[in-house]
Amino acid sequence: LVSSMLLLGGSAIVNALTGMDVRVASFLLPWGMLSYAVSGGLKATFLASYMYMVVIFAGVILFVVVVFASGIEPLGDAVRVHERLTAIAALPAPTADELAAGYHC
């Protein structure tokens, strides 16, 4: 199901860019991908995916360090984060008058 959605979406893009019929683009698109993979593109795809994964993991690690260990008042550990989130969740909800006046949480 997902593959057919990707194929039809790619065909619609080819149709919008070139005016090619969607049925013809749906037939030619897999052949283009197959020729790319056979000509050595599969190795490049795996390598690019690995590099993207490294960048994403580095970003996640950086985000965790920044959130938990730096800033004006560092969060410290997961227990402190949980305590703060619980305190925020316990705050009273805005009344209808406050919402009408433009108060949003």
Side-chain angles (χ1 to χ4, degrees), residues 12-97:
I13 290 173
V14 170
N15 174 273
L17 293 175
T18 65
M20 181 185 294
D21 185 42
V22 174
R23 292 173 293 199
V24 174
S26 295
F27 179 75
L28 293 177
L29 205 58
W31 287 104
M33 289 185 273
L34 181 67
S35 64
Y36 173 77
V38 168
S39 68
L42 190 59
K43 180 181 177 183
T45 301
F46 287 151
L47 189 61
S49 294
Y50 177 75
M51 289 172 33
Y52 295 146
M53 180 195 65
V54 168
V55 169
I56 289 171
F57 277 145
V60 167
I61 290 170
L62 177 68
F63 177 73
V64 168
V65 168
V66 167
V67 167
F68 283 99
S70 66
I72 296 170
E73 186 178 342
L75 292 175
D77 58 0
V79 174
R80 190 165 178 194
V81 172
H82 182 266
E83 289 170 354
R84 288 184 172 191
L85 289 174
T86 305
I88 291 171
L91 294 174
T95 64
D97 293 333

